[in-house]
Every structure is written in structure tokens, then in C-alpha cells.
Amino acid sequence: FGLFLAISTFYLPSGLASTFRTIWFLPRIIPPVLYVLMWKWFTWDTGFLATITGYFGMTPRNWMLDTSTNAWFFVVLINGFVGASLGMILFSSAIKAIPSSMLYASEVDGANRWQQVRHIILPQLRWPILFTTSYQTLSLLTSFEYILLATDGGPGRSTEVWALAAYHTALNNYGGNLQYGLGAAYALVLVVIGIAASLLYLRFFNFKELVAKPRIEQ
């Protein structure tokens, strides 16, 4: 989604594109507590969404916590807006680094925008896509603060991701029996998964080819 936003704003007028990127980047720079509180206000049984649906005769409810499906939907949105904003900025910078002469030449040859994206922009973004994919995967594996603030793993334990379970086990057991060893074991599993995912990405994006010397220097 961040790549889609970057490509879309690339073809907009510079002023409009800058404004759009600034608005989309707000979830990344807003403090997490304030950001999640805005989402809670949006989904509370007395919040914006319940007020709007109330006009259509629907009973007010907490849209974020009433069912596990709704909880996961908002968890994905809350984290997704943050991740997409970072991807948009990284990809936008990478697209601007592409020599404009390549795009001008393609227009002279009759290429449309989809052909520019497919044959010029995307091939030039292999490095940024590799970095962003790896970074976002590792970030989502280990981050839990937005889920902790939004649902705390609820309803029940339906949105308790692995990192949040490690936190609850090691540092947030109110029974007084803090299981540091088990929590550390949970974290170690995340490390193994992160390393395996990174190696898979390096293989998929052909890392050796990316770091190979240009043929003219060989």
C-alpha cells in the first residue's frame, strides 16, 4: 500500500503530492497513545462510528472489541496506516532518485504510465522494496505497543500476537509469578522467525545480483 501511495503521488502536482504525503505521514509521527486514543474514540460505543450508525437504528456498540473479527480488522488498520506511511516516504524518495531522462525518453517512445511503472519504476525499486519488506516484517514481528494500547490482546486472547504474549508472560503477570524465562523463550522464537524471513527475502530478491558489480566494471 505504501508503494501504491508513492507511485500515485509521484504523478500528482508537487504541491498536492506534498500535502497528501504529509497527511498520510501523521500516523507515524503522532505519539502512539494519542494515535490509538483517536481510534478508540472512533470505535467506542459513544464514539463517532456508533453515533453515525445510530442514525440508521443500529444499537451502539464498541466496534473494536465486540467481536474478534472486528478487533483484528482495526488492529490491521491501526498498524497498517503507520506502516504504509513509512513505506510511502521511502518509496517516494527512491522514485525521485530515478533519472527523469528515462521517463522522458519513455514518453517520447509512447509509453503510458502503467508501462513506465512496470518497466522503469518497479525494476529500479528492488533495493527499497527489499529493505522495506524486511524492515516491516521484523517490525511487525516484534512490535506490540499499538495492539497493547488498542485491545490488550482482547477480546479474550484473540488479538494477542506473539510479541504481546511474551510481554504478558515476562512483564505483565499480575499474579506475581513473572515468568522471565518463558517470555525470553517466546522472544527467541521471534528472532529465529525474523532471521528465516530475512534470508527468504534475500533469496527471493536475488541479493547476490543486487550487490554484484556493474558489468562495465567487470
Side-chain angles (χ1 to χ4, degrees), residues 55-128:
Y55 293 137
F56 298 95
M58 298 183 64
T59 304
R61 56 175 174 159
N62 189 327
W63 288 84
M64 186 182 295
L65 294 175
D66 61 342
T67 65
S68 59
T69 302
N70 283 351
W72 267 114
F73 175 76
F74 284 105
V75 163
V76 170
L77 284 183
I78 291 171
N79 285 275
F81 276 93
V82 175
S85 62
L86 177 63
M88 178 190 64
I89 296 299
L90 294 176
F91 290 132
S92 295
S93 301
I95 293 174
K96 287 185 177 181
I98 298 175
S100 57
S101 57
M102 298 178 64
L103 298 174
Y104 294 150
S106 67
E107 291 179 357
V108 172
D109 292 337
N112 55 35
R113 290 184 175 179
W114 165 244
Q115 290 172 328
Q116 287 182 341
V117 170
R118 180 181 178 183
H119 298 290
I120 298 177
I121 295 179
L122 289 180
Q124 298 287 332
L125 296 183
R126 290 176 64 188
W127 261 116

Side-chain angles (χ1 to χ4, degrees), residues 129-145:
I129 291 175
L130 171 59
F131 169 77
T132 305
T133 303
S134 301
Y135 175 83
Q136 295 284 40
T137 299
L138 297 176
S139 176
L140 289 174
L141 280 174
T142 58
S143 64
F144 59 88
E145 66 274 14

